[in-house]
Amino acid sequence: MKRRSLLLSALAGGGALLVGWSALPPRSRIGTSHPLPDADGGVTLNGWIRIEPDGQVLLAMARSEMGQGVHTALAMLVADELDTPLSRVTLVQAAPQSLYGNVAMFVGALPFHPDDAEPGRETTTVKAGQWMVSKFARELGVSVTGGSSSIADAWDVLRLAAATARAQLLGAASLQWKLPREELQVHGGIVSHVSGPHAHFGELAKLAAATPIGDVRTKDPKDWTLIGTPAPRTDLAAKVDGTARFGLDTREPGQLYAVVRHCPMLGGSPQRVKVDAAMQLPGVQRVVRLGPYAGSTAAVAVVGRSTWHARRGAQALEIDWAPPPAGGADTRRIDEALERAAREAAQSDGGFAFHTRGDVKQARAGAARQIESLYRAPYLAHAPMEPINCTARVHDGGVELWVPTQVPDMARAIAARVAGVPLEAVTLHVTYLGGGFGRRLDVDFVAQAVRIAIECGGHPVQLVWPREEDIAHDFYRPAGVALMQASLDGKGMVSGLAITTAGDAITPRWIERVLPALAGPVDTPDKSAAEGLYDLPYGISHQRIAQVATHSGVPVGYWRSVGHSHHAFFSECFIDELAEAAHQDPVAFRLGLLGDMPRHAAVLKLVAAKSSWGRPLPVGQARGVALHESFGSIVAQVMEVSLFDGRPRIHRVVCAADIGTVVNPGIVAQQMESAVIFGLSAALYGRIDIEGGAVKQRNFPDYKLLTLAECPRIETHLVPSSRAPGGMGEPGTPPAAPALANALYALTGKRQRALPLIT
């Protein structure tokens, strides 16, 4: 289990599973009350599992469901260990307890740990003093859904929690029937003995809670009945019949609605606001000024009897806007500055070197040939399907929230700060998320909703951002530049690789606005903004991978697959350039560099076989390949493309992946398809342009997504593995752009080194 620590102890009369990382949270922080208390006759067996009187299993769920299928997959872990039907496992929102915390989103601010190293891969440990946030994050026990970590985090924890509950239930039956425990069996949520006695979980739960746990072991994989099967998603029926509840579905008695208008210039603010025209419209009730909460741009909100009333009122406001004190950002100037920073750092061995191996200067001095290329990637918006929203009520010294969020603990914290109430006075209901992609890791909209609710006399208020506000006031994927430099020996083999990138640090700025108590220097080297380059799998003897942390003034945040999203484009397109320089096939060239990385080689061989790599395609079509590891999973993709009216047309995407143990192959395939389409949208069209401090793109007509007619056929093939699960929500995105770009080069002979590919 590497860095995970597990402790079984007595708590509230039952065996409670306390889970942390490296060191458990202080006992005082966990508290004396049980995080999943007995209720309505149900009996809690540990901090994760309660048994209801009818034998139903309640699972405390600390992760958000945003379409990735995590609620189904996590329930499968528990159902399999308990030998109960998946339909008998019901999810309930976990209490705000350190018990359920993880540090998923802080992985970007952690150095490599020796336990995580793989044979054949050298790692560089960042100085501990630069990443003190890791220590605080672990002790806080904050709950985050991100980093494709939900299954990996819960793999040991939930199976052990369920195995512990199973052992208690068997012990209870053994005591009650006076039969040896080893002669009892569990099937379909029923404990039985061949001689006839049998009982469902609910009939044994009370005695089980007082039964010593004894030796607990999780199942042998050969005994799994659910894990590894394409079990239907547990949220499917509700999302089909409309009973699923997203944030926008919140309806409370006396509810009002609010729509926000931010200053068009990022970081600007409203000065004079004329409200007369808005207040004369039917249904408009009040206007509220909003400060720059949690990194947001200052704004004005209009409250009405419906979202439509509020939106019409917001459009009717006459506002004089003040520009930001530092002036308006401009993406053209930012791009030029990034290139200068990367080139200057490359010339002077500057920037922060996240990874070094050998001596790149020595390789350069002895090289027969040098290859240098500059790659670029733009700012990107998240654009989740469900608009940004939060419903808040401030009443009787407390706050109640209904919000689609990836960070419930941070949402509660900022609500308490804005309302001036203790943290324990904030009640939060996490709804389904209509897409997250990292945008709902921020809490600016929660702060705004609470501030508006304070002005509305105890009424619940649902704040909704129009799509134009969402696109123009996001926390964007940072723009980035990479100077790629390679040294080739006389045989055309790569002897040295130097990569110098420049771009805004993400993690320090996210911490500054979401966890201000932990904030430090905003230009601290950021591993999350450099990942995907410092950990390349290729066996090149001399390497230096460095990043220049910049500060553009544009708000930046985590975007699906974070640094991997554009660094895979930089590295895998450059690897294709090197393959061409060596006069080798792109797949064969990569395999030659993967001698010490058998997992990567296996994935690449699988995708080559399934895509019939090397077999001729029809005239006018070509293939491209890319390989990338992220979030503990390795993904390779081959794309088959052509041109139609001069524009790329993608016919087929073949994906191969090693994600460790597969919990639900159906969900894995869904996530791969989603990630590929997400990545292709960005590769073909995605860009945010800023002029005079204002974002030019406003809505989907000018921030395009891949349409249904453009979607290719996507195939997913998995490498069998007994390793613990890796991530899946994000790893399919990084290879999409380079596989497409490499295919277009094979087709046209024109190398594109900047995204998006259609301008």
Side-chain angles (χ1 to χ4, degrees):
M1 298 191 299
K2 295 186 179 178
R3 284 185 278 174
R4 296 168 178 80
S5 299
L6 298 174
L7 172 68
L8 292 172
S9 68
L11 183 63
L17 182 65
L18 308 184
V19 184
W21 291 70
S22 292
L24 288 165
R27 186 63 174 269
S28 61
R29 190 169 293 139
I30 296 172
T32 56
S33 63
H34 205 294
L36 188 62
D38 296 347
D40 301 323
V43 178
T44 298
L45 297 186
N46 57 54
W48 299 87
I49 293 173
R50 187 171 80 207
I51 306 298
E52 298 297 274
D54 62 356
Q56 192 85 1
V57 177
L58 264 58
L59 170 61
M61 181 50 57
R63 305 293 170 255
S64 301
E65 177 60 70
M66 47 190 164
Q68 79 276 43
V70 67
H71 283 186
T72 300
L74 294 180
M76 289 174 66
L77 302 184
V78 170
D80 204 321
E81 283 292 339
L82 279 173
D83 284 308
T84 195
L86 182 59
S87 60
R88 300 286 287 168
V89 179
T90 300
L91 275 54
V92 295
Q93 183 176 326
Q97 293 269 352
S98 297
L99 169 63
Y100 304 113
N102 62 357
V103 293
M105 289 313 300
F106 294 93
V107 171
L110 294 175
F112 284 112
H113 190 282
D115 287 345
D116 295 332
E118 292 186 23
R121 172 172 296 176
E122 296 181 20
T123 60
T124 299
T125 302
V126 180
K127 293 179 181 179
Q130 295 172 312
W131 303 113
M132 286 302 293
V133 66
S134 63
K135 175 180 181 295
F136 292 111
R138 289 169 180 150
E139 291 191 357
L140 281 172
V142 292
S143 178
V144 176
T145 305
S148 292
S149 67
S150 293
I151 301 300
D153 283 348
W155 176 245
D156 296 318
V157 173
L158 284 189
R159 289 187 304 129
L160 184 55
T164 302
R166 188 179 190 273
Q168 290 176 278
L169 291 162
L170 283 170
S174 175
L175 289 172
Q176 185 167 298
W177 301 334
K178 297 180 172 55
L179 291 168
R181 182 186 299 205
E182 58 271 18
E183 293 183 7
L184 303 178
Q185 60 182 0
V186 185
H187 181 73
I190 304 293
V191 182
S192 64
H193 188 268
V194 292
S195 63
H198 62 278
H200 64 64
F201 289 170
E203 296 170 303
L204 298 169
K206 188 172 182 179
L207 181 57
T211 301
I213 297 172
D215 184 32
V216 176
R217 298 177 184 272
T218 56
K219 274 187 177 182
D220 190 297
K222 66 180 175 57
D223 297 323
W224 289 339
T225 57
L226 266 176
I227 296 174
T229 69
R233 287 179 56 147
T234 56
D235 56 354
L236 182 61
K239 290 180 177 178
V240 169
D241 65 22
T243 57
R245 285 293 172 259
F246 294 82
L248 284 176
D249 294 320
T250 302
R251 294 293 183 271
E252 292 294 311
Q255 183 169 308
L256 300 173
Y257 300 82
V259 166
V260 68
R261 266 185 73 186
H262 296 89
C263 177
M265 293 163 286
L266 298 172
S269 59
Q271 287 187 317
R272 186 176 62 91
V273 181
K274 293 186 65 175
V275 303
D276 295 349
M279 294 301 297
Q280 291 172 8
L281 292 173
V284 173
Q285 298 203 349
R286 67 177 61 237
V287 177
V288 181
R289 281 180 176 258
L290 300 172
Y293 296 112
S296 67
T297 293
V300 179
V302 174
V303 180
R305 292 201 307 266
S306 71
T307 301
W308 176 245
H309 289 120
R311 180 159 188 174
R312 289 190 65 214
Q315 292 169 340
L317 292 174
E318 298 180 28
I319 307 174
D320 292 334
W321 301 103
D330 185 282
T331 46
R332 290 182 182 272
R333 292 199 304 268
I334 291 171
D335 189 59
E336 293 169 358
L338 291 176
E339 180 177 347
R340 284 196 305 273
R343 290 192 182 278
E344 290 171 2
Q347 290 173 2
S348 61
D349 286 341
F352 184 86
F354 278 94
H355 176 67
T356 58
R357 176 190 297 175
D359 188 336
V360 293
K361 290 183 178 179
Q362 176 186 330
R364 193 173 294 135
R369 183 180 177 189
Q370 294 285 334
I371 295 179
E372 178 177 299
S373 296
L374 186 78
Y375 281 82
R376 306 174 188 273
Y379 291 101
L380 291 178
H382 296 83
M385 181 181 297
E386 180 186 17
I388 298 301
N389 70 92
C390 175
T391 303
R393 174 167 53 204
V394 180
H395 183 62
D396 289 340
V399 179
E400 191 167 10
L401 300 171
W402 296 262
V403 56
T405 179
Q406 295 174 247
V407 284
D409 295 319
M410 286 78 152
R412 291 179 67 241
I414 198 164
R417 289 202 300 271
V418 173
V421 302
L423 184 61
E424 55 269 21
V426 180
T427 301
L428 179 125
H429 310 279
V430 180
T431 66
Y432 281 135
L433 284 61
F437 315 127
R439 175 60 179 96
R440 301 185 204 270
L441 289 165
D442 274 280
V443 293
D444 51 324
F445 55 98
V446 177
Q448 290 178 338
V450 173
R451 179 69 188 89
I452 297 167
I454 290 172
E455 297 292 323
C456 291
H459 286 276
V461 181
Q462 183 174 98
L463 170 67
V464 180
W465 286 26
R467 183 63 66 183
E468 292 80 3
E469 297 294 327
D470 177 29
I471 298 293
H473 293 282
D474 200 352
F475 295 101
Y476 303 100
R477 199 276 306 272
V481 164
L483 185 63
M484 317 289 290
Q485 299 169 306
S487 303
L488 278 64
D489 62 22
K491 297 180 181 179
M493 300 302 295
V494 184
S495 57
L497 176 66
I499 303 176
T500 308
T501 62
D504 281 8
I506 303 170
T507 301
R509 294 188 176 88
W510 180 79
I511 292 173
E512 182 182 39
R513 60 183 183 259
V514 178
L515 287 169
L518 304 182
V522 294
D523 293 327
T524 299
D526 179 20
K527 195 174 157 187
S528 67
E531 60 194 358
L533 290 177
Y534 58 70
D535 49 357
L536 293 175
Y538 301 116
I540 299 171
S541 300
H542 304 281
Q543 298 183 29
R544 185 178 191 271
I545 316 299
Q547 183 216 18
V548 179
T550 60
H551 196 172
S552 67
V554 175
V556 296
Y558 298 108
W559 190 89
R560 190 175 190 174
S561 72
V562 201
H564 297 282
S565 65
H566 47 301
H567 292 157
F569 171 70
F570 300 162
S571 62
E572 284 299 286
C573 288
F574 192 59
I575 287 291
D576 253 40
E577 290 194 57
L578 300 181
E580 182 181 35
H583 306 291
Q584 291 191 38
D585 170 82
V587 170
F589 182 76
R590 285 173 171 82
L591 288 173
L593 295 173
L594 292 173
D596 294 327
M597 306 300 289
R599 290 182 64 207
H600 294 76
V603 172
L604 187 58
K605 290 176 182 177
L606 179 60
V607 81
K610 294 299 183 181
S611 65
S612 300
W613 184 268
R615 182 179 299 174
L617 286 168
V619 175
Q621 293 188 26
R623 294 187 184 94
V625 66
L627 171 73
H628 194 77
E629 179 182 3
S630 61
F631 307 98
S633 296
I634 304 165
V635 177
Q637 293 173 4
V638 169
M639 294 201 183
E640 298 176 1
V641 305
S642 66
L643 294 179
F644 182 75
D645 288 341
R647 297 167 66 87
R649 182 175 183 180
I650 307 156
H651 300 273
R652 179 185 181 217
V653 182
V654 181
C655 309
D658 181 347
I659 66 168
T661 298
V662 177
V663 176
N664 187 315
I667 292 176
V668 170
Q670 293 167 5
Q671 282 299 283
M672 187 68 79
E673 292 160 8
S674 164
V676 168
I677 292 170
F678 196 84
L680 288 176
S681 291
L684 289 170
Y685 307 120
R687 68 180 305 137
I688 288 293
D689 298 304
I690 306 169
E691 292 183 4
V695 173
K696 293 178 64 177
Q697 287 79 7
R698 303 294 295 170
N699 208 318
F700 290 127
D702 50 16
Y703 192 79
K704 292 187 63 176
L705 305 180
L706 206 67
T707 65
L708 185 61
E710 294 173 297
C711 289
R713 187 178 76 189
I714 302 172
E715 305 171 16
T716 300
H717 306 277
L718 302 175
V719 175
S721 175
S722 60
R723 297 169 62 95
M728 192 58 249
E730 298 171 272
T733 293
L740 174 58
N742 289 337
L744 290 173
Y745 176 75
L747 183 66
T748 67
K750 179 182 178 182
R751 177 70 65 185
Q752 292 178 264
R753 298 186 179 91
L755 294 174
L757 300 174
I758 296 178
T759 56

